[in-house]
Amino acid sequence: MRVTVHPGSLAGCVQAPPSKSHAHRLLICAALADGETILEGAGNSRDIEATARCLAALGADIRAGEEALHVRPIREIRKGAVLDCGESGSTLRFLLPLAALLDCGATLTGCGRLPQRPNGPLIDAMRAHGARFAGERLPLTVSGGLRGGEYHLPGDVSSQYFTGLLLALPLLDADSELIADTPLESAPYIDLTLSAMRAFGVAVQKTEKGFFVPGRQRYKAPGRMRVEGDWSGAAFWLAANALGSAVTVEGLQPDSAQGDRAAQTLFRPESLDCVDVRDVPDLMPALAAVMAAVPGDHRITGAARLRIKESDRLCAMANVLRALGGNVEELPDGLRIVGCDLAGGTVDGFGDHRIVMSAAILATVCQAPVTIEGAEAADKSYPGFFEDFAALGGKVETEPAGKG
C-alpha cells in the first residue's frame, strides 16, 4: 500500500493503541493459568494475532468477544503443533522456552526478516538444560523438555530471551537462576514481564547477577485484566507535538512498567542533544524524526541492536531522512542528525511499522507531501494508525501498491 501524507499539523484527542508488549505477556500467562481469563483491550495487531494463533495451536482456547479476548488455558497439549510466529520476534522468543517445556515436538515458523534474527544464545541456553532442536534457523522443531538450573545469557542482544525463560521456568519442579553475562539492556521490558507474572500470582526475585526463579509455581487466573495503552505507539503523537502539533493521547498509565513511558520527556528540545536508547530502542525512529526537523546537532547512541529488527532500523531511518532532504550520518551504534528544513518526497517503509509511522509524522513539517511505500507495515503494531492520523486532521491519500 502506498500512502501520501500532506504537510500540516495535527490536533485533537486520540486513544492510545493497545500495548502489544503488555498483551503478548498477558496472553501467555493466561494460556498457562488455572482458569479462564478475559483480556480487555488487546487489539488486533498482527503480532498479537500471531501469539494468539500459536497459543491456540498448542491447545489454548482463545475467542474474540466484544472488546475482549476470552482465554481458556492449555489443558490438553497438542503434539506436533506448528506455531506460525509471522514476523513477531516477541512471539518466537517467548514461545520457544514454552514449547520446550511442554515437550510436544512443536515446530516454530516465521516470515519476513524473522528467520534471520538471532536466537543462538537462547537456543544454546535451552540446549544446556535438556531442550533438543531440529535445525538452527526457522523452521525450528523443539522437544526434550527443560530442566532447572543456572541459565547464562548475554544481556546486550535481546531482553526477549530473558522474558521467554522467565515465563516458562516457574512451571518446572526445580528452581532456576537466570544470569546476565553482560550488562542487561532494555531492562524495562523485563520489568513489564515481571509485572504481568505478578498479576497471575507468579513471583521472581531480582539478584545482583540476574533473576532467581522458584520452581513449582502455578499461574492463577485473575478473572479480568486490561491491556495497557501503548507508550511506544503513543510516542508518534508525542513526536508530532514536538514538531508543532497539538495531540492529546488518552489511555496511558504514567507509572506503567513500559520503558517507553520515557517518551513523556524525551522529545523536549533540551533532551535532544545526545540520547542513549539502550533501554528504549523502539523510540529511536520517532526520536530520529524529531531530531531531523529540530535545529541543532543531535546524536542517537546505544542503538546497534536495532540493525536486527524488522529492518536494519539505523540504515532504514537514515535512508528515509536523506530521501526527505535531511542531514544524517549513520554510525555503527546510532545516528548523527543535524536538524534542518525538510523537502518531502518518496520513501520506502522497509517493511517496518515504526519506520512507516515515523515518516508519516515527519511529513507534517515537510515542505511538500511525503509518499510512503509499503505503508501497510503499520498494521504490525498499530492497525488504526492512518485512520487516527486522518481523524486528527491529517490529509492522507491511500492507494494500492503498484498503482500509478
Side-chain angles (χ1 to χ4, degrees):
M1 181 176 75
R2 178 186 298 129
V3 168
T4 298
V5 182
H6 292 258
S9 60
L10 308 174
C13 184
V14 66
Q15 188 72 22
S19 167
K20 70 183 183 76
S21 296
H22 196 216
H24 279 304
R25 291 157 170 82
L26 294 183
L27 265 172
I28 294 170
C29 291
L32 298 174
D34 58 0
E36 181 175 351
T37 303
I38 298 174
L39 294 183
E40 299 175 342
N44 62 341
S45 69
R46 289 206 301 259
D47 280 9
I48 295 308
E49 289 176 349
T51 292
R53 178 173 64 240
C54 291
L55 291 170
L58 287 170
D61 182 3
I62 302 176
R63 301 181 184 181
E66 189 172 345
E67 302 298 323
L69 292 177
H70 297 252
V71 184
R72 292 179 179 172
I74 298 168
R75 286 290 177 259
E76 294 186 11
I77 300 167
R78 294 177 181 166
K79 299 291 186 179
V82 175
L83 311 184
D84 178 6
C85 301
E87 292 185 84
S88 175
S90 295
T91 303
L92 172 61
R93 290 160 176 170
F94 295 175
L95 293 186
L96 264 175
L98 178 58
L101 176 81
L102 298 177
D103 193 15
C104 58
T107 298
L108 295 95
T109 68
C111 61
R113 277 172 56 99
L114 188 61
Q116 284 76 52
R117 293 174 70 175
N119 298 297
L122 177 58
I123 290 172
D124 290 344
M126 291 170 60
R127 272 201 180 110
H129 292 81
R132 299 192 302 270
F133 293 87
E136 296 295 326
R137 290 183 175 271
L138 297 185
L140 272 175
T141 298
V142 58
S143 59
L146 282 180
R147 297 188 299 267
E150 195 173 277
Y151 287 73
H152 287 261
L153 289 168
D156 57 352
V157 179
S158 177
S159 66
Q160 294 170 352
Y161 298 163
F162 287 83
T163 285
L165 287 168
L166 285 168
L167 289 167
L169 294 179
L171 299 176
L172 297 179
D173 289 333
D175 299 339
S176 302
E177 188 171 5
L178 275 177
I179 296 175
D181 290 334
T182 57
L184 187 59
E185 298 183 5
S186 295
Y189 286 101
I190 298 179
D191 291 337
L192 187 63
T193 302
L194 300 180
S195 175
M197 294 168 68
R198 282 194 299 271
F200 284 80
V202 174
V204 170
Q205 301 165 24
K206 289 186 178 181
T207 68
E208 289 185 3
K209 298 179 180 179
F211 305 91
F212 176 72
V213 187
R216 300 165 294 279
Q217 299 190 67
R218 293 294 178 264
Y219 287 87
K220 301 176 180 65
R224 283 182 177 267
M225 288 286 295
R226 173 162 284 278
V227 175
E228 293 181 3
D230 185 30
W231 277 103
S232 303
F236 296 101
W237 309 123
L238 302 181
N241 289 347
L243 299 178
S245 291
V247 179
T248 300
V249 186
E250 295 184 337
L252 296 169
Q253 292 184 212
D255 60 347
S256 168
Q258 296 177 54
D260 286 349
R261 71 183 186 282
Q264 296 174 89
T265 59
L266 201 58
F267 299 114
R268 295 173 181 172
E270 64 270 20
S271 302
L272 295 177
D273 286 348
C274 184
V275 182
D276 187 321
V277 298
R278 280 180 176 83
D279 283 340
V280 288
D282 285 346
L283 295 183
M284 187 282 293
L287 184 63
V290 172
M291 289 177 171
V294 171
D297 191 336
H298 315 292
R299 189 179 292 260
I300 293 172
T301 64
R305 289 179 299 129
L306 292 173
R307 295 193 181 280
I308 53 174
K309 293 290 189 176
E310 288 85 343
S311 67
D312 176 339
R313 281 189 179 152
L314 291 176
C315 179
M317 203 63 209
N319 276 281
V320 166
L321 298 183
R322 291 191 190 105
L324 299 179
N327 187 340
V328 57
E329 177 187 359
E330 187 179 337
L331 306 172
D333 76 333
L335 298 172
R336 180 189 173 197
I337 302 170
V338 179
C340 62
D341 292 334
L342 298 171
T346 298
V347 300
D348 188 341
F350 292 91
D352 191 320
H353 51 133
R354 302 198 192 281
I355 301 299
V356 167
M357 291 186 281
S358 295
I361 294 303
L362 204 48
T364 63
V365 293
C366 286
Q367 296 171 358
V370 173
T371 297
I372 307 167
E373 303 282 0
E376 69 278 2
D379 291 350
K380 189 173 193 292
S381 64
Y382 195 161
F385 175 77
F386 284 106
E387 288 81 359
D388 285 350
F389 193 98
L392 292 167
K395 186 178 179 184
V396 179
E397 298 174 1
T398 301
E399 57 182 302
K403 182 179 178 181

